Amino acid sequence: MILVSSIKSRIYSLYNNKTIRNGGLFSIFSFFNKGISFLLLMILAKYIAPDQYGYLSLFNTVVTFLGFTAGLSTAGYLGVSFFKNKLSDFKIDLTTIILITVTSSIVLFLIIIVFNEWLSNLLKLSDRLLIIALFISFSSIIMGLLLDYFRIREQVLKYGLISCGYALINFIVTLYLIIYKNLGWIGFVYSLSICNLVYTLGTLLFLIIKKLLIIPKNWSIIKNILLWGIPLIPHSATTWIKQGLDRYIIDSNYSISEVGIFSFALNLTNIIVMIGVAFNQTNSVNIYKTLSSKDMDRVKVVKTLKKKEKYFLLMYAIISLIVIVGVSIFIPALLPNYISSLSLFYLLSIFGLAHCYYLVYCNYLFYFNRTVDLMYITFGIAMLHLTLSLILTKYSLIYTCFIYLLLQSAVTMLVFIRSRKLLNIYQNEKTI
């Protein structure tokens, strides 16, 4: 009886732990929004050959690049602004981020129009697909702002309703275009475009109705947000430099089919990363709130944060092991054409775990406005990654996987060290 009572008490305690409960809910909703996209990629693997999967991978590479350049990486400032500023200033910051995103997207659109032939040859995509990629990137930023608004306000159910609704619509439309219209991987692209258009219009309508938009009246506000976001462009570019350019390096040394196999292994790894990102949705809010607390001693704040870190590190390790076992069982049974990707996935899964650990610590650098420090770490390692990939990828894709594994571990360690220094300064009540 005592054991049963202890178990019940433990379960009740976990249920009432806001971070764990919200983290679990955000994970579920993230699976609907991002996980179903992954499932669609698995379905695509049933209908298209590895070479076509490779072209889809190249398209996603362009979307990733445009994703951090279209908004100049300023969207992430929304969470910081919410906890540091009063509501009116938050509204101005939100509007400023949208204006920056619109302006830079127009500039990118003009660049695509002017240099369409050169870009099409370079990126192996038509100018029409490049424009669609730009729209998907732009609209994803706008939709992301709405989701971020509900996330930082910890309105989990509203966040879930929007993200799950998006995922469901995208899933249905994609299957219709792929199976019934026989459009192949292009059907996936068209589905994203349709869903993003609907949700972007809905987002703008919501922001207008709720009166969340206030035009900034001076340059200093725009300047401050740009100074926060622009250093993150090289940081955000690290994913594109590593995963995006690697696809072109593989294509130049092997074939588009090998690009498809490698991309498939990375998509499997992204199951682990996706879970880490989902839990970080609520963990980052919790960290910002805790550090902004005026009612708690700073020594106690740091002790509390470090204790929570241990839970996340253990949880990510367990999740990674479960994913590895699941992939090992289901891929050979369901997608035998991609079984050769498993050897790559086993190494890349460690990269995925290291990335989850990185997410635990990078929040401190965001909160204390140390985005420049983060840029130096991530961009510097990314350039090393690119150099090693250019040298070693031609010998074996296994070497490429080791590059991912070792350098992501290095990034995580460097960010961990920097975060500890910032917490020590904060704990000693010095100006950061």
Side-chain angles (χ1 to χ4, degrees):
M1 291 295 293
I2 296 176
L3 179 61
V4 173
S5 177
S6 176
I7 293 174
K8 287 183 178 180
S9 176
R10 185 63 176 169
I11 293 174
Y12 182 79
S13 175
L14 290 174
Y15 175 78
N16 285 278
N17 186 306
K18 195 171 184 180
T19 300
I20 294 177
R21 186 177 68 248
N22 286 353
L25 288 173
F26 274 123
S27 294
I28 294 172
F29 299 145
S30 182
F31 265 110
F32 270 89
N33 191 30
K34 297 179 180 178
I36 289 183
S37 294
F38 169 80
L39 177 61
L40 288 174
L41 291 175
M42 298 300 102
I43 293 174
L44 272 174
K46 274 284 189 181
Y47 288 89
I48 63 177
D51 61 331
Q52 292 297 305
Y53 204 95
Y55 283 114
L56 174 59
S57 178
L58 295 181
F59 177 82
N60 286 333
T61 296
V62 175
V63 171
T64 300
F65 174 81
L66 294 172
F68 61 79
T69 53
L72 300 180
S73 293
T74 56
Y77 186 75
L78 195 67
V80 177
S81 174
F82 183 83
F83 289 105
K84 285 191 171 183
N85 300 323
K86 57 185 180 181
L87 182 58
S88 59
D89 292 333
F90 168 77
K91 292 180 179 180
I92 293 173
D93 289 342
L94 171 61
T95 310
T96 302
I97 292 170
I98 293 176
L99 291 175
I100 291 172
T101 302
V102 170
T103 303
S104 57
S105 295
I106 292 174
V107 172
L108 288 170
F109 175 77
L110 293 176
I111 291 174
I112 292 174
I113 294 298
V114 174
F115 300 101
N116 65 89
E117 185 174 349
W118 179 75
L119 288 172
S120 296
N121 292 331
L122 176 67
L123 301 174
K124 298 185 178 181
L125 296 170
S126 67
D127 55 348
R128 177 174 60 89
L129 284 174
L130 293 177
I131 292 173
I132 292 175
L134 175 60
F135 171 73
I136 290 174
S137 300
F138 164 79
S139 55
S140 294
I141 294 172
I142 301 301
M143 292 189 305
L145 290 173
L146 179 62
L147 289 173
D148 235 17
Y149 173 74
F150 290 125
R151 180 180 66 86
I152 57 183
R153 290 174 60 87
E154 297 185 273
Q155 296 179 343
V156 185
L157 293 180
K158 290 182 179 179
Y159 177 98
L161 180 63
I162 294 172
S163 60
C164 290
Y166 174 90
L168 183 60
I169 295 172
N170 184 45
F171 185 81
I172 294 172
V173 175
T174 301
L175 289 183
Y176 173 76
L177 294 177
I178 292 174
I179 298 175
Y180 294 100
K181 290 297 183 179
N182 198 30
L183 292 179
W185 72 273
I186 293 294
F188 182 79
V189 174
Y190 289 165
S191 177
L192 279 179
S193 303
I194 295 169
C195 294
N196 281 24
L197 175 61
V198 173
Y199 268 72
T200 298
L201 293 175
T203 295
L204 294 175
L205 183 62
F206 173 85
L207 296 178
I208 293 171
I209 292 175
K210 292 296 182 179
K211 299 179 180 180
L212 291 173
L213 302 179
I214 300 178
I215 302 296
K217 296 181 179 179
N218 59 72
W219 163 250
S220 63
I221 295 172
I222 301 174
K223 179 182 176 182
N224 289 337
I225 294 178
L226 286 174
L227 288 176
W228 188 95
I230 289 176
L232 285 176
I233 294 178
H235 162 69
S236 301
T238 57
T239 299
W240 179 76
I241 290 172
K242 292 185 290 186
Q243 299 187 19
L245 291 184
D246 274 348
R247 288 175 168 93
Y248 284 98
I249 293 172
I250 293 170
D251 181 48
S252 65
N253 287 283
Y254 298 93
S255 67
I256 194 67
S257 293
E258 293 298 325
V259 174
I261 293 297
F262 184 80
S263 299
F264 188 81
L266 269 177
N267 283 331
L268 293 175
T269 305
N270 283 335
I271 300 174
I272 298 171
V273 175
M274 182 173 55
I275 294 172
V277 170
F279 271 97
N280 194 57
Q281 299 275 3
T282 186
N283 185 39
S284 60
V285 172
N286 182 265
I287 288 174
Y288 294 165
K289 286 177 63 177
T290 304
L291 290 172
S292 300
S293 175
K294 306 296 183 183
D295 304 323
M296 196 185 310
D297 177 73
R298 290 194 174 192
V299 174
K300 187 177 180 181
V301 167
V302 173
K303 185 177 180 180
T304 299
L305 291 173
K306 289 182 178 180
K307 183 178 180 181
K308 289 181 179 180
E309 287 173 8
K310 294 178 181 178
Y311 286 116
F312 279 101
L313 297 181
L314 177 60
M315 178 181 66
Y316 291 147
I318 294 173
I319 288 172
S320 297
L321 182 60
I322 293 172
V323 171
I324 291 170
V325 172
V327 166
S328 300
I329 295 172
F330 290 109
I331 295 303
L334 300 178
L335 297 169
N337 288 341
Y338 291 85
I339 197 170
S340 60
S341 67
L342 288 180
S343 59
L344 306 178
F345 163 72
Y346 293 138
L347 290 173
L348 290 172
S349 63
I350 304 175
F351 151 76
L353 176 61
H355 186 83
C356 289
Y357 285 177
Y358 152 81
L359 292 172
V360 174
Y361 303 113
C362 70
N363 292 303
Y364 299 113
L365 278 69
F366 285 128
Y367 180 82
F368 292 120
N369 292 333
R370 288 297 187 268
T371 54
V372 173
D373 294 351
L374 194 61
M375 177 197 71
Y376 285 138
I377 294 172
T378 56
F379 188 71
I381 296 293
M383 295 310 295
L384 177 59
H385 178 113
L386 177 60
T387 302
L388 292 174
S389 185
L390 286 169
I391 296 172
L392 299 176
T393 293
K394 61 185 176 183
Y395 297 110
S396 173
L397 292 182
I398 293 295
Y399 292 160
T400 309
C401 295
F402 271 112
I403 294 171
Y404 275 82
L405 187 164
L406 295 174
L407 294 189
Q408 180 59 53
S409 298
V411 168
T412 301
M413 182 57 64
L414 290 171
V415 171
F416 166 77
I417 293 171
R418 186 62 181 131
S419 70
R420 283 298 175 266
K421 289 182 179 178
L422 290 172
L423 283 180
N424 287 336
I425 296 173
Y426 166 85
Q427 182 174 286
N428 294 324
E429 300 188 1
K430 298 176 182 178
T431 302
I432 298 183

